[in-house]
Amino acid sequence: MKAYSLFSLARNAMSYHRNWQRVWRSPDPKKHYDVVIIGGGGHGLATAYYLATQCGITNVAVIEKGWLGGGNTGRNTTIVRSNYLLDESAGMYESAMKLWEGLSQELNYNVMFSQRGLLHLAHSVHDMQEIGRRGNAIHLNGIDSEFLTPEQVKEMLPIINLNCRYPVMGGLLQKRGGTARHDAVAWGYARGADAAGVDIIQNCEVTGVRVENNAVVGVDTSRGFIGAGKVGSVAAGHSSVIAEMAGFKLPLECYPLQALVSEPIKPIIDCVVMSNGIHVYVSQSDKGELVVGSGSDAYNSYSQRGSFDLIEHTVGPLCELFPIFSRLRMLRQWAGIVDVTVDRSPILSKTPVKNLYFNCGWGTGGFKATPGSGHAFAHSIAAGEMNEIAAPFSIDRFNSGALIDEGAAAAVAH
Amino acid sequence: MFIVNCPYCGDRDQTEFSCHGEAHIPRPTETAKLTDDEWGEYVFFRSNPKGYHRERWLHVHGCRRWFNALRHTVTDEFVATYKIEDPRPPIPEGGQS
C-alpha cells in the first residue's frame, strides 16, 4: 500500500489523478481462514484491522453481502461522543474516543474526525437532574463535560430559540464530541486491513453457519463454503438472522431508525446539538447539509424505510428549537435497521457455539463506538476470552440480570 | 405509513396504534422453579425474524384493546390481524417462520 501524503497528491495531480492505486484488493475467497468476520461495516472492518495489525492474525476474511459500509455505517448521523452514565459504557465509548483522536493518522486516511463539541440540551427539571447526575458520573470517569446555562447555550448557538414550547433550561457540553465522515471510517479501516493481509470479500452473502460438535467450522456463502477457525459476527441489523443459522436466539429486536438531510446551506451550526427532551438531534455536514435524526420507529422491521409520522416528530422539534430552519427543504430521508437490546447496551460475547463470537446490539448508537468496538472485539477473538472492556457486555447478562441499563438510567438517545 | 385493521374498529391510521413485539410467548406457570436461563429466555430473548412475524398490537388511541397481527417484517405488509382468543391465521404459502 502506498501511503497518502502531500507529495503523493502532487504527484498524482501531474497525471490528472488517473494513476491512484486501488484502495483495496478484491480477492477470491480462500478455502480456509483463521478468522472469518461476517459483515463489512465499520465495526467488522475495524475488528479485522485490529486482528491483523495488533493481534498478529492476518489470515482473516471479511465477508460482506453488499458493499462496504452500505448498511448502518452509511446510514447513521455520524455523531461521536463518550458522555455515558455507567462505568461499563464509559469504558467502551471512551476507549473508542481515544482511538478516534488518532485515527486519521493511524490509518493514513482522513476520516474527517471533527471534535466540534456536542451539546446536549435540557428542557425540564427532570432533564436538568439527568444531566446533573450524568455529568457528574462522566467527571468521575475522567471524561470531559461541562454544564452550560441557557445564556451560555445562546452564546454558542445564536440561532436557538431558548423560549420554545419546552424552554431550554441548561445544557451538557462534551467538547471532545463531534462528528466523523462515516464512509471514510469504513474505507480507511478496509484499506488498513487489506494492507495488513485481510481478504475483503464483497457481494458475498452468508447463507449458513456450519457447526460441528457444537463448534463453528465455517460459513456457507453465496460463493461457496469458507472454512474458519473462528467466526465473528458483526452483522448489526441481521444478527438475529445469523444467530438463527447457528441455532440460537439473541435478546434483540430490530427497528427502523430514520435520518434525513437538508439542502446544503452556509455554515450556521458549528457543534452537534442533541435534545432528548423534545427528541431531535442535528449537526451540519462539511458540505453544508443539516443532518437530522431522532427516535426509532416502534415496530419490528427490516424494511429500511420507517414511517412518515416519525419524520414529523423529528422536524417539529427541530423547527421549534431553530425557527430559522423552518423553510429549509429536506433532500433525502432513509432508515437503517437497528438491533436493539432491552438495556440499550451492546452485546460483545461468546455464544453457545464454540469459536463463534457476536458483536451486535449496538442499536441506535453504534457508529461512535466503531474503533473501540473493533479493538475490543479483535483482542477478545484473538484471546478466546472477552477482554476487560468487552466482558461486561456478555450475552449472559440477560440471564444473570447484570444489565447495563444505559437507556433507562440516562434516557439516552444514541 | 400503515393502515392497521383493528379487529374491533376496522381500518385506522397507524399512529393510533403501538406495537409490542413478539406474540404468543406464554408466561411460565411454575415461576418459582424457573432457572435464571429460563427467566432470561422468557423475558429477553426473541426470534426477531426477517419474514413473517406474529406480534402484539394495542389500539392505544382508539378502543385501547390488545390484538395480534401477522405481518411481514421486510415488506411491512399485514397478512392479518386477529383477536387474542382467535386461532392463528396461517402463514402465506412459501413463507417461513
Side-chain angles (χ1 to χ4, degrees), chain A residues 327-377:
Chain A
R327 282 186 249 169
L328 267 183
R329 279 162 294 204
M330 290 296 164
L331 289 193
R332 286 178 286 127
Q333 169 275 343
W334 65 90
I337 298 306
V338 295
D339 46 328
V340 178
T341 58
V342 73
D343 61 0
R344 300 298 189 267
S345 288
I347 295 167
L348 288 91
S349 185
K350 297 204 262 190
T351 65
V353 177
K354 202 171 170 235
N355 294 334
L356 176 62
Y357 304 84
F358 264 71
N359 181 352
C360 59
W362 289 94
T364 54
F367 176 70
K368 67 178 80 66
T370 304
S373 154
H375 189 271
F377 198 47

Coordinates of all heavy atoms in Angstrom, one line a residue, chain A residues 327-377:
Chain A
R327 N -37.9 26.9 6.8 CA -38.1 27.0 5.4 C -37.1 26.2 4.6 O -37.0 26.2 3.4 CB -38.2 28.4 4.9 CG -39.5 29.1 5.2 CD -39.6 30.4 4.6 NE -39.6 31.4 5.7 CZ -39.4 32.7 5.5 NH1 -39.2 33.2 4.2 NH2 -39.4 33.6 6.5
L328 N -36.3 25.4 5.3 CA -35.3 24.5 4.6 C -36.0 23.4 4.0 O -37.0 22.9 4.5 CB -34.3 23.9 5.6 CG -33.0 24.7 5.9 CD1 -32.2 23.8 6.9 CD2 -32.3 24.8 4.6
R329 N -35.5 23.0 2.8 CA -36.1 21.8 2.2 C -35.2 20.6 2.6 O -34.0 20.6 2.6 CB -36.1 21.9 0.7 CG -37.3 22.7 0.3 CD -37.1 23.2 -1.1 NE -36.1 24.2 -1.2 CZ -36.0 25.1 -2.1 NH1 -36.8 25.2 -3.1 NH2 -35.0 26.0 -2.1
M330 N -35.9 19.5 2.9 CA -35.2 18.2 3.2 C -35.0 17.5 1.9 O -35.9 17.3 1.1 CB -35.9 17.4 4.2 CG -36.0 18.0 5.6 SD -34.3 18.0 6.3 CE -34.6 19.2 7.6
L331 N -33.7 17.1 1.6 CA -33.4 16.5 0.3 C -33.6 14.9 0.3 O -34.0 14.4 -0.6 CB -32.0 16.8 -0.1 CG -31.7 18.2 -0.5 CD1 -30.4 18.3 -1.2 CD2 -32.8 18.7 -1.4
R332 N -33.1 14.3 1.4 CA -33.1 12.9 1.4 C -33.5 12.4 2.8 O -33.3 13.0 3.8 CB -31.7 12.3 1.1 CG -31.3 12.4 -0.3 CD -29.9 11.9 -0.5 NE -28.9 12.9 0.0 CZ -27.9 12.6 0.8 NH1 -27.8 11.4 1.2 NH2 -27.1 13.5 1.2
Q333 N -34.1 11.2 2.8 CA -34.6 10.5 4.0 C -34.3 9.0 3.8 O -34.5 8.5 2.7 CB -36.0 10.9 4.3 CG -36.7 10.1 5.4 CD -37.3 8.7 4.9 OE1 -37.4 8.5 3.7 NE2 -37.5 7.8 5.8
W334 N -33.9 8.4 4.9 CA -33.7 6.9 4.8 C -33.8 6.3 6.2 O -34.0 7.1 7.2 CB -32.3 6.7 4.2 CG -31.2 7.1 5.1 CD1 -30.6 6.4 6.1 CD2 -30.6 8.5 5.2 NE1 -29.6 7.2 6.7 CE2 -29.6 8.4 6.2 CE3 -30.8 9.6 4.4 CZ2 -28.9 9.6 6.5 CZ3 -30.1 10.8 4.8 CH2 -29.1 10.7 5.8
A335 N -33.7 5.0 6.3 CA -33.7 4.4 7.6 C -32.6 3.3 7.6 O -32.3 2.7 6.5 CB -35.1 3.8 7.9
G336 N -32.1 3.0 8.7 CA -31.2 1.8 8.9 C -32.0 0.9 9.9 O -32.8 1.3 10.6
I337 N -31.6 -0.4 9.8 CA -32.2 -1.3 10.7 C -31.3 -1.5 12.0 O -30.2 -2.0 11.9 CB -32.4 -2.7 10.0 CG1 -33.3 -2.5 8.8 CG2 -33.0 -3.7 11.0 CD1 -34.6 -1.9 9.1
V338 N -31.9 -1.1 13.1 CA -31.1 -1.1 14.3 C -31.5 -2.3 15.2 O -32.7 -2.5 15.4 CB -31.2 0.2 15.1 CG1 -30.5 1.3 14.3 CG2 -32.6 0.6 15.4
D339 N -30.5 -3.0 15.7 CA -30.7 -4.2 16.5 C -30.6 -3.7 18.0 O -29.6 -3.4 18.5 CB -29.7 -5.3 16.2 CG -28.3 -4.8 16.1 OD1 -28.1 -3.6 15.6 OD2 -27.4 -5.5 16.4
V340 N -31.8 -3.7 18.6 CA -31.8 -3.1 20.0 C -32.0 -4.1 21.1 O -32.8 -5.0 21.0 CB -33.0 -2.1 20.0 CG1 -33.2 -1.5 21.3 CG2 -32.9 -1.1 18.9
T341 N -31.2 -4.0 22.1 CA -31.3 -4.8 23.3 C -32.2 -4.1 24.3 O -32.4 -2.9 24.2 CB -30.0 -5.1 24.0 OG1 -29.4 -3.8 24.3 CG2 -29.0 -5.8 23.1
V342 N -32.7 -4.8 25.3 CA -33.6 -4.2 26.2 C -32.9 -3.2 27.1 O -33.6 -2.2 27.6 CB -34.4 -5.3 27.0 CG1 -33.5 -5.9 28.0 CG2 -35.6 -4.7 27.7
D343 N -31.6 -3.3 27.4 CA -31.0 -2.4 28.2 C -30.2 -1.3 27.4 O -29.5 -0.5 27.9 CB -30.0 -3.0 29.2 CG -28.9 -3.8 28.5 OD1 -28.9 -3.9 27.3 OD2 -28.1 -4.4 29.2
R344 N -30.4 -1.3 26.1 CA -29.8 -0.3 25.2 C -28.3 -0.3 25.2 O -27.7 0.7 24.9 CB -30.4 1.1 25.5 CG -31.9 1.2 25.3 CD -32.3 0.9 23.9 NE -33.7 1.3 23.7 CZ -34.7 0.4 23.8 NH1 -34.5 -0.8 24.2 NH2 -36.0 0.8 23.5
S345 N -27.7 -1.4 25.6 CA -26.3 -1.6 25.6 C -25.9 -2.7 24.6 O -26.8 -3.6 24.4 CB -25.7 -1.9 27.0 OG -25.8 -0.8 27.8
P346 N -24.8 -2.7 24.1 CA -24.4 -3.7 23.0 C -24.1 -5.1 23.6 O -24.1 -5.3 24.8 CB -23.2 -3.1 22.4 CG -22.5 -2.3 23.5 CD -23.7 -1.7 24.3
I347 N -23.9 -6.0 22.7 CA -23.5 -7.4 23.1 C -22.2 -7.6 22.4 O -22.1 -7.5 21.2 CB -24.5 -8.4 22.6 CG1 -25.9 -8.2 23.3 CG2 -24.0 -9.8 22.8 CD1 -27.0 -9.0 22.7
L348 N -21.1 -7.9 23.2 CA -19.9 -8.4 22.7 C -19.6 -9.7 23.5 O -19.4 -9.6 24.7 CB -18.7 -7.5 22.8 CG -18.7 -6.2 22.0 CD1 -19.4 -5.1 22.6 CD2 -17.3 -5.8 21.6
S349 N -19.7 -10.8 22.8 CA -19.9 -12.0 23.6 C -19.5 -13.3 22.9 O -19.5 -13.4 21.7 CB -21.3 -12.1 24.1 OG -21.5 -13.2 25.0
K350 N -19.1 -14.3 23.7 CA -19.1 -15.6 23.3 C -20.5 -16.1 23.1 O -21.4 -15.4 23.6 CB -18.3 -16.5 24.3 CG -16.9 -16.2 24.5 CD -16.1 -17.3 25.0 CE -15.9 -17.2 26.4 NZ -14.9 -18.2 27.0
T351 N -20.7 -17.2 22.5 CA -22.1 -17.7 22.3 C -22.2 -19.2 22.7 O -21.1 -19.8 23.0 CB -22.5 -17.6 20.8 OG1 -21.6 -18.5 20.0 CG2 -22.3 -16.2 20.2
P352 N -23.4 -19.7 22.6 CA -23.5 -21.2 22.9 C -22.6 -22.1 22.0 O -22.4 -23.2 22.3 CB -25.0 -21.5 22.8 CG -25.6 -20.2 22.9 CD -24.7 -19.1 22.4
V353 N -22.3 -21.5 20.8 CA -21.4 -22.3 19.9 C -20.0 -21.9 20.1 O -19.6 -20.7 20.1 CB -21.9 -22.0 18.4 CG1 -21.0 -22.7 17.4 CG2 -23.3 -22.4 18.2
K354 N -19.1 -22.9 20.2 CA -17.7 -22.6 20.4 C -17.1 -22.0 19.2 O -17.4 -22.3 18.1 CB -17.0 -24.0 20.7 CG -15.7 -23.8 21.5 CD -15.1 -25.2 21.9 CE -13.7 -25.0 22.4 NZ -12.7 -25.8 21.7
N355 N -16.2 -21.0 19.5 CA -15.4 -20.3 18.5 C -16.3 -19.4 17.6 O -15.9 -18.9 16.6 CB -14.6 -21.2 17.6 CG -13.5 -21.9 18.3 OD1 -13.0 -21.4 19.4 ND2 -13.1 -23.1 17.9
L356 N -17.6 -19.2 18.0 CA -18.4 -18.2 17.3 C -18.7 -17.1 18.3 O -19.2 -17.3 19.4 CB -19.8 -18.9 16.9 CG -20.8 -18.0 16.3 CD1 -20.3 -17.4 15.0 CD2 -22.1 -18.8 16.1
Y357 N -18.3 -15.9 17.8 CA -18.4 -14.7 18.7 C -19.4 -13.7 18.0 O -19.5 -13.6 16.8 CB -17.1 -14.0 18.8 CG -16.0 -14.9 19.4 CD1 -15.3 -15.8 18.6 CD2 -15.7 -15.0 20.8 CE1 -14.4 -16.7 19.1 CE2 -14.8 -15.8 21.3 CZ -14.1 -16.7 20.4 OH -13.2 -17.5 20.9
F358 N -20.1 -13.0 18.9 CA -21.1 -12.0 18.3 C -20.7 -10.6 18.9 O -20.4 -10.4 20.0 CB -22.5 -12.4 18.7 CG -23.2 -13.1 17.6 CD1 -22.9 -14.4 17.4 CD2 -24.2 -12.5 16.9 CE1 -23.5 -15.1 16.3 CE2 -24.9 -13.2 15.9 CZ -24.5 -14.5 15.6
N359 N -20.8 -9.6 17.9 CA -20.7 -8.2 18.3 C -21.9 -7.6 17.7 O -22.0 -7.4 16.4 CB -19.4 -7.7 17.7 CG -19.2 -6.2 18.0 OD1 -20.1 -5.5 18.6 ND2 -18.0 -5.7 17.7
C360 N -22.9 -7.2 18.5 CA -24.2 -6.8 17.9 C -24.9 -6.0 19.0 O -24.4 -5.6 20.1 CB -25.0 -7.9 17.5 SG -25.4 -9.1 18.8
G361 N -26.2 -5.6 18.7 CA -27.0 -5.0 19.7 C -26.6 -3.5 20.0 O -26.9 -2.9 21.0
W362 N -25.9 -2.9 19.0 CA -25.5 -1.5 19.2 C -26.7 -0.6 19.0 O -26.6 0.6 19.3 CB -24.4 -1.1 18.2 CG -23.1 -1.8 18.6 CD1 -22.6 -3.0 18.1 CD2 -22.1 -1.3 19.6 NE1 -21.4 -3.3 18.8 CE2 -21.1 -2.3 19.6 CE3 -22.1 -0.2 20.4 CZ2 -20.0 -2.2 20.5 CZ3 -21.0 -0.1 21.3 CH2 -20.0 -1.1 21.3
G363 N -27.8 -1.1 18.5 CA -29.0 -0.4 18.5 C -28.8 0.9 17.7 O -28.3 1.0 16.6
T364 N -29.3 2.0 18.4 CA -29.3 3.3 17.7 C -28.0 4.1 17.8 O -27.9 5.2 17.3 CB -30.5 4.1 18.2 OG1 -30.3 4.2 19.7 CG2 -31.8 3.5 18.0
G365 N -27.0 3.5 18.4 CA -25.8 4.3 18.6 C -24.5 3.6 18.4 O -23.5 3.8 19.2
G366 N -24.3 2.9 17.4 CA -23.1 2.1 17.2 C -21.9 2.9 16.6 O -20.8 2.5 16.8
F367 N -22.2 3.9 15.7 CA -21.2 4.5 14.9 C -20.0 5.0 15.8 O -18.9 4.8 15.5 CB -21.7 5.6 14.0 CG -20.7 6.3 13.3 CD1 -20.0 5.7 12.2 CD2 -20.3 7.6 13.6 CE1 -19.0 6.4 11.6 CE2 -19.3 8.3 12.9 CZ -18.7 7.7 11.9
K368 N -20.4 5.8 16.9 CA -19.4 6.4 17.7 C -18.5 5.4 18.3 O -17.3 5.7 18.7 CB -20.1 7.2 18.8 CG -20.8 6.3 19.8 CD -21.5 7.1 20.9 CE -22.8 7.7 20.5 NZ -23.9 6.7 20.2
A369 N -18.9 4.2 18.4 CA -18.1 3.2 19.1 C -17.2 2.4 18.2 O -16.4 1.5 18.6 CB -19.0 2.2 19.9
T370 N -17.3 2.7 16.9 CA -16.6 1.8 15.9 C -15.2 1.4 16.2 O -14.9 0.2 16.3 CB -16.7 2.5 14.5 OG1 -18.0 2.8 14.2 CG2 -16.1 1.6 13.4
P371 N -14.3 2.4 16.5 CA -12.9 1.9 16.8 C -12.8 1.1 18.1 O -12.1 0.1 18.1 CB -12.1 3.2 16.9 CG -13.0 4.3 16.4 CD -14.4 3.8 16.6
G372 N -13.5 1.5 19.1 CA -13.5 0.8 20.4 C -14.0 -0.6 20.3 O -13.5 -1.5 20.9
S373 N -15.2 -0.7 19.6 CA -15.8 -2.0 19.4 C -14.9 -2.9 18.7 O -14.7 -4.1 19.1 CB -17.1 -1.7 18.7 OG -17.5 -2.9 18.0
G374 N -14.3 -2.5 17.6 CA -13.5 -3.3 16.8 C -12.2 -3.7 17.5 O -11.8 -4.9 17.5
H375 N -11.7 -2.8 18.3 CA -10.5 -3.1 19.1 C -10.8 -4.1 20.2 O -10.0 -5.1 20.3 CB -10.0 -1.7 19.7 CG -8.7 -1.8 20.4 ND1 -8.5 -2.2 21.7 CD2 -7.4 -1.6 19.9 CE1 -7.2 -2.1 22.0 NE2 -6.6 -1.8 20.9
A376 N -11.8 -3.9 20.9 CA -12.1 -4.8 22.0 C -12.5 -6.2 21.4 O -12.1 -7.3 22.0 CB -13.3 -4.3 22.8
F377 N -13.3 -6.2 20.3 CA -13.7 -7.5 19.8 C -12.5 -8.3 19.2 O -12.4 -9.5 19.3 CB -14.8 -7.2 18.7 CG -15.6 -8.4 18.3 CD1 -16.2 -9.2 19.3 CD2 -15.9 -8.7 17.0 CE1 -17.0 -10.3 19.0 CE2 -16.7 -9.8 16.7 CZ -17.3 -10.6 17.7

